[in-house]
Amino acid sequence: MKMIKIKKFLLLWPFLYSAQSYADPLEVLHWWTESGEFEAQAILDEALKKQDITWENFAIVGSGGGSALRVLQMRALSANPPDVAQIKGPDIGEWAQMGMLKEVDSIIGETAWHQYIPEIVKNTIRYEDSYMALPLNIHRVNWLWLNKAIFDELNLVPPTTWEGFFEVADKIQQAGYIALAHGSTSWQDSLLFESVALSLLGAEKYKQAFVQFDENVLASQQMIDVFEQFKRLKKYTGNDMRGKNWVVASKMISDKKAGMLFMGDWSKGMWHAEGKAAMKDYLCVEVPGTHDVFSYNIDSFVFFKKLNSASVNVNTQTFAKTILSKDFQRDFNIQKGSMPVRTDMDMTDFDACTQKAYQDFNRSDLVPSLSQNIATTSYLQSEISKIISYYFKNDDMTAKQAVRQLALAIRAVNK
Ligand code: GAL
């Protein structure tokens, strides 16, 4: 008897849960909790509030989103997903395939947005023939950031080649600064690896390896060279950064403790929040050897299906209108460090680094970032990251062994 009651309740509760009215808060799962991210999220919160949408923060601390995605899986398994979640790249397709997401075709496909959103973004948010997510921004990942004061003081020229990079790194180290700021979560190791891979392999082979998983490239001598060069960077990271996230590493640049940092431009969001300015306090150059490449990371939100809830549709429309508006795209992205997801923006108010990214986007080879789960799903990426990170942190694995393990892991997951 008791069992029947529970079952009845379980059958009924999705309807109860989904009886959401327009004024109900929209529960949004995300991981924008760090400096820069937090302020950007507050701009979103404020913009939605003006449209009578209350954003209920379901923020999971943990940069890069690993923890947030685990929590989301638990919530989804217990049939209690949030209304909206920060999901990006191929993960969108994984969730869509399970039938859990609402499509947003009527918003992206059938309105004017269609012509303002770049093809690469549309491809990223599309699953089969439908758009399944709303894009917010485009982050460039292949940046090398430099502390301007250190470069001025030591009379250094921003490096554009690896040879130049190592030369500059030695000089910074000799002067008593840390040459390379580097936090040590596994995705940060992956980002460092990706920077070297992109540069040494070039855009085509990078995609063959990490998007198409071509074993001829994955297990090649060139990939061994990538691992070796990646390891050469370790001695420049100097300090013990165990367990430290990207904010700690970025802060070492703004505090003039370190000379250089490989990181996506969300670091710039943090420096903006600190009141630091591009070209005055820090400089941006592409990762050496990637002048013609733009590795991208696109933040997006998905909407979970909530049964029979017409009100959620209203919210979705308004939500989209808000985040895709020019004003929001300007205010949010200036704070987030990223560039707008629209091609028709006036970029005057943006800093020089974002203005450059916006121009480069149109003339570069666009490649999806591996470390940011855009090249592949977060699951496969985390398997890849474990190997990359282990190799970087420990000295008992050769580059050849790392390459073999990488190829095997990818084959096993893709089976
Ligand atoms: C990425 C996200 C960015 C950024 C970064 C650090 O995954 O796409 O927006 O905030 O994590 O948390």
Side-chain angles (χ1 to χ4, degrees), residues 31-32 37 63-64 88 139 187 246 266 297 299 336 372:
W31 61 88
W32 287 336
E37 298 178 328
S63 68
K88 52 183 187 160
H139 275 298
W187 73 261
W246 62 272
W266 46 92
N297 171 26
D299 283 313
K336 187 72 175 72
Q372 300 309 304

Side-chain angles (χ1 to χ4, degrees), residues 332-377:
F332 175 81
N333 283 305
I334 285 177
Q335 178 52 70
K336 187 72 175 72
S338 40
M339 62 177 240
V341 76
R342 296 177 62 138
T343 52
D344 60 340
M345 294 286 293
D346 172 359
M347 295 296 288
T348 319
D349 294 337
F350 285 83
D351 63 60
C353 301
T354 304
Q355 285 180 358
K356 176 169 165 42
Y358 199 70
Q359 278 170 13
D360 287 352
F361 186 79
N362 291 320
R363 60 148 196 93
S364 303
D365 246 327
L366 303 175
V367 302
S369 163
L370 172 70
S371 63
Q372 300 309 304
N373 311 338
I374 302 292
T376 179
T377 60

Side-chain angles (χ1 to χ4, degrees), residues 303-315:
F303 292 78
F304 278 89
K305 277 182 186 161
K306 299 278 188 168
L307 298 176
N308 295 343
S309 178
S311 58
V312 175
N313 285 328
V314 178
N315 276 345

Side-chain angles (χ1 to χ4, degrees), residues 6-129:
I6 291 173
K7 271 192 184 154
K8 238 186 182 170
F9 173 74
L10 282 175
L11 283 173
L12 272 172
W13 80 257
F15 294 91
L16 298 174
Y17 182 84
S18 63
Q20 186 178 31
S21 81
Y22 186 43
D24 279 350
L26 210 58
E27 192 189 23
V28 187
L29 177 139
H30 65 92
W31 61 88
W32 287 336
T33 52
E34 297 292 359
S35 173
E37 298 178 328
F38 178 80
E39 288 80 357
Q41 174 265 311
I43 290 175
L44 176 53
D45 186 354
E46 201 46 50
L48 290 173
K49 216 175 265 159
K50 282 194 191 136
Q51 304 301 324
D52 283 335
I53 298 178
T54 329
W55 158 297
E56 191 184 324
N57 241 323
F58 183 20
I60 311 287
V61 177
S63 68
S67 319
L69 292 177
R70 275 190 295 279
V71 172
L72 179 62
Q73 279 158 6
M74 298 304 290
R75 287 275 305 259
L77 275 177
S78 55
N80 181 23
D83 297 296
V84 180
Q86 185 187 355
I87 302 276
K88 52 183 187 160
D91 281 357
I92 297 170
E94 300 268 296
W95 286 96
Q97 200 178 17
M98 289 189 286
M100 301 186 80
L101 304 186
K102 281 157 65 96
E103 49 88 4
V104 294
D105 277 340
S106 53
I107 303 169
I108 300 287
E110 293 158 23
T111 62
W113 303 121
H114 198 61
Q115 42 185 311
Y116 304 132
I117 297 177
E119 255 343 279
I120 202 90
V121 175
K122 284 191 272 189
N123 292 340
T124 307
I125 57 172
R126 193 184 282 128
Y127 172 69
E128 293 183 336
D129 289 333

Side-chain angles (χ1 to χ4, degrees), residues 91 94 209-211 213 370 373 375-387 406 408-414:
D91 281 357
E94 300 268 296
F210 301 114
V211 182
F213 309 116
L370 172 70
N373 311 338
T376 179
T377 60
S378 53
Y379 176 65
L380 179 51
Q381 198 276 333
S382 76
E383 293 304 302
I384 293 175
S385 266
K386 276 184 211 155
I387 297 164
L406 184 72
L408 283 176
I410 291 177
R411 199 190 301 163
V413 173
N414 280 339

Side-chain angles (χ1 to χ4, degrees), residues 97-210:
Q97 200 178 17
M98 289 189 286
M100 301 186 80
L101 304 186
K102 281 157 65 96
E103 49 88 4
V104 294
D105 277 340
S106 53
I107 303 169
I108 300 287
E110 293 158 23
T111 62
W113 303 121
H114 198 61
Q115 42 185 311
Y116 304 132
I117 297 177
E119 255 343 279
I120 202 90
V121 175
K122 284 191 272 189
N123 292 340
T124 307
I125 57 172
R126 193 184 282 128
Y127 172 69
E128 293 183 336
D129 289 333
S130 298
Y131 294 110
M132 304 302 293
L134 292 178
L136 276 108
N137 61 355
I138 302 173
H139 275 298
R140 187 176 198 176
V141 183
N142 59 320
W143 280 125
L144 175 64
W145 306 100
L146 315 172
N147 174 293
K148 185 164 183 303
I150 295 181
F151 269 68
D152 286 349
E153 187 181 302
L154 305 178
N155 237 330
L156 302 173
V157 179
T160 52
T161 61
W162 285 105
E163 213 188 343
F165 172 87
F166 287 117
E167 230 168 77
V168 162
D170 284 332
K171 286 188 182 151
I172 297 176
Q173 215 169 36
Q174 278 152 22
Y177 297 108
I178 289 160
L180 189 59
H182 181 61
S184 74
T185 59
S186 59
W187 73 261
Q188 289 173 91
D189 292 338
S190 272
L191 190 144
L192 210 54
F193 171 84
E194 159 181 342
S195 307
V196 178
L198 200 51
S199 170
L200 267 54
L201 298 174
E204 249 348 276
K205 283 197 178 157
Y206 168 93
K207 282 190 270 188
Q208 282 163 6
F210 301 114

